[in-house]
Amino acid sequence: YELLKKNTKYQWTEIKVEATLNLKKALTQKPILQIDPMQKTKLPLDASSEGLATILLQGDDGKNMKLVYAISQRQARLKRDNI
């Protein structure tokens, strides 16, 4: 949260190097995306002239769904205006 403070200078410290390496390792080792075919799955979608979004939810029932994956994309103006 340091960078959210006003007038804070960014400093690349050993802690930030370690955090970056840990994140890279976590994102590149299995399981990256794990979907259980035995659980209920929901894929709600949202679309507007501004963009598209969807999330993949899985769980044992409607009350206990967990986020598996999320993606969104902002539409370019040319696409929105059909030019």
Side-chain angles (χ1 to χ4, degrees), residues 13-60:
T13 63
E14 188 63 34
I15 291 172
K16 292 180 177 89
V17 170
E18 185 178 339
T20 301
L21 293 174
N22 287 338
L23 180 59
K24 285 180 182 180
K25 185 177 179 181
L27 291 173
T28 57
Q29 290 183 342
K30 291 183 180 181
I32 296 171
L33 177 61
Q34 186 174 357
I35 298 174
D36 184 348
M38 302 306 290
Q39 289 192 355
K40 292 183 181 180
T41 303
K42 290 185 179 182
L43 185 67
L45 307 169
D46 186 27
S48 72
S49 62
E50 298 296 316
L52 310 165
T54 188
I55 57 174
L56 178 64
L57 302 167
Q58 280 199 316
D60 51 10

